Amino acid sequence: MASADSENRPGTQEAIPQAVKIIVAGGFGAGKTTMVASVSEITPLSTEEVMTEASQGVDDLGGVENKTTTTVALDFGRITINDDIVLYLFGTPGQDRFWFMWDELVEGALGAVVLADTRRLDTCFHAVDFFERRGVPFVVAVNRFEGAAVYETEEVREALDVSAGVPVVMADARERESSKEVLVALVTHIIDSRRPAMSG
Amino acid sequence: MSAEGRHARRLTDRGTDSSTDGNEPRPDDGREDAEYERFLRPYAVDVGTAEAVPPTTAGTTGPADLDLLALVMAARTPGRHEWLRPERETILNHALRARTVAELAAEVGLPVGQVRVMVAEMVADGSLQRCGPSRPLGRQDILHAVLVGLRSL
């Protein structure tokens, strides 16, 4: 029996790569999905998480009628780094009320990109705050929107009040090359920031 | 607008067959009409229950152990004997190579939470196996490889 299907026995022959992830965060409409799509080797995949929450302050004695559901879309892309590593890029759900999902998303992530929209800079305060408090390395990428005023990276840094050690880079999320540079800046930052902490 | 106070939709009931006539589900006073733009398709997928999977002990996998990037792979050939639960065969077909839970959810078209429960059950019954990378790398090696890989994109 075992020998009968051993020929096309699923997936025993191929090397299994390690799956790692980088989070792309930012406010609603900051360009997260655009950035993921511009560097992903596949059309970004989308899945949903349906959250069921018991109504606030009510003991759940009645079953479903006391619960409400919320559907959160989760978009992600993929970059095959080499035979050993596949990098996944996860866009965070943009709306603030989906914060509860961030903890799981961020768990085990290499780091994060915070996409800033200079027209609505305040929409990424939460993301900056979140990663700072959890000690997740991140870079701020200022997504250039047409028609938006042009700011220097230092102005953005000051406005966001991020520490000098956090790279702030300009980006165009629609451009593959630009998005790639942002990711390179992030990974470089992660590598660099791990080193001096020891010798410091 | 509080973070928890607004919800896309309230599920009125589970077994509404007879009760819907006299008691149509409707938005509360229509106040939140804007938030009802999205309907939740009812699922008729037998995903079992999280409780059906034995609590995690050494060597077993519960849904909570399956994060988005947990890797699983088919441990048997997809067959027809699961015809009452075709989602499982679909999962198997997509998992002929190692797949992450997130990818399976996207490919099967079901929410991650449901897929997690199904995958955990399938690991428990031997249809799927969890797998780790063939060549586990340290974090520093990963970072350097990712940097090189990104630069050469």
Side-chain angles (χ1 to χ4, degrees):
Chain A
M1 184 176 75
S3 58
D5 55 20
S6 62
E7 274 188 358
N8 50 2
R9 200 203 164 94
T12 38
Q13 67 284 36
E14 288 197 37
I16 301 167
Q18 187 148 357
V20 298
K21 66 184 165 184
I22 284 175
I23 307 303
V24 180
F28 189 68
K32 301 181 292 287
T33 309
T34 308
M35 174 168 274
V36 170
S38 72
V39 283
S40 176
E41 69 196 12
I42 52 167
T43 306
L45 296 172
S46 184
T47 182
E48 293 181 336
E49 185 67 298
V50 177
M51 311 304 300
T52 307
E53 308 159 275
S55 296
Q56 295 295 312
V58 180
D59 256 343
D60 184 17
L61 300 171
V64 269
E65 65 270 25
N66 280 342
K67 294 184 176 179
T68 48
T69 60
T70 306
T71 308
V72 189
L74 212 54
D75 295 329
F76 60 99
R78 189 172 70 203
I79 300 171
T80 301
I81 296 295
N82 57 31
D83 290 345
D84 296 324
I85 302 170
V86 175
L87 171 64
Y88 292 85
L89 300 173
F90 280 90
T92 57
Q95 297 93 322
D96 285 354
R97 61 198 170 119
F98 299 140
W99 276 91
F100 53 85
M101 283 199 68
W102 283 48
D103 277 320
E104 190 200 338
L105 267 180
V106 165
E107 175 80 30
L110 296 178
V113 173
V114 175
L115 265 180
D117 175 352
T118 51
R119 298 167 304 179
R120 295 169 292 179
L121 212 49
D122 58 317
T123 57
C124 72
F125 285 166
H126 285 311
V128 167
D129 203 40
F130 182 92
F131 296 127
E132 272 179 353
R133 266 188 287 147
R134 278 167 183 72
V136 176
F138 67 98
V139 297
V140 176
V142 183
N143 195 11
R144 275 179 292 226
F145 282 91
E146 274 161 39
V150 179
Y151 296 92
E152 297 296 321
T153 52
E154 286 315 303
E155 291 178 274
V156 175
R157 176 191 304 285
E158 202 168 312
L160 288 177
D161 193 25
V162 291
S163 70
V166 175
V168 178
V169 297
M170 290 293 168
D172 184 337
R174 297 165 302 180
E175 296 292 331
R176 176 183 165 86
E177 198 59 27
S178 177
S179 300
K180 182 188 120 178
E181 288 308 319
V182 171
L183 295 177
V184 166
L186 171 65
V187 178
T188 307
H189 170 59
I190 302 169
I191 293 172
D192 289 349
S193 58
R194 293 168 76 83
R195 222 177 276 138
M198 290 292 146
S199 58
Chain B
M1 154 150 56
S2 75
E4 306 85 5
R6 298 293 195 89
H7 298 284
R9 184 167 171 79
R10 176 178 288 262
L11 285 188
T12 46
D13 198 9
R14 186 177 264 158
T16 51
D17 285 357
S18 55
S19 61
T20 42
D21 301 334
N23 185 20
E24 281 186 13
R26 63 180 166 213
D28 307 328
D29 310 323
R31 274 176 302 134
E32 296 185 326
D33 272 356
E35 307 232 351
Y36 281 77
E37 78 289 350
R38 174 142 192 175
F39 286 86
L40 188 66
R41 181 163 54 89
Y43 286 99
V45 177
D46 167 26
V47 297
T49 61
E51 292 77 21
V53 180
T56 312
T57 50
T60 65
T61 296
D65 301 319
L66 295 165
D67 69 30
L68 290 165
L69 293 187
L71 286 163
V72 291
M73 190 165 57
R76 65 168 172 86
T77 321
R80 243 175 286 168
H81 54 280
E82 283 264 29
W83 57 279
L84 279 175
R85 303 189 296 180
E87 299 79 18
R88 284 167 169 70
E89 300 312 298
T90 312
I91 287 178
L92 279 182
N93 274 311
H94 284 289
L96 295 180
R97 292 178 187 183
R99 275 280 186 272
T100 60
V101 168
E103 282 168 311
L104 285 177
E107 285 160 352
V108 176
L110 288 173
V112 175
Q114 263 94 329
V115 170
R116 258 190 200 133
V117 175
M118 278 193 275
V119 166
E121 281 193 336
M122 291 172 73
V123 170
D125 73 17
S127 301
L128 287 173
Q129 61 190 64
R130 287 199 68 171
C131 43
S134 307
R135 241 165 58 83
L137 298 167
R139 199 176 164 87
Q140 210 58 22
D141 290 336
I142 290 174
L143 287 168
H144 282 103
V146 168
L147 187 58
V148 170
L150 286 171
R151 280 192 173 132
S152 63
L153 275 184

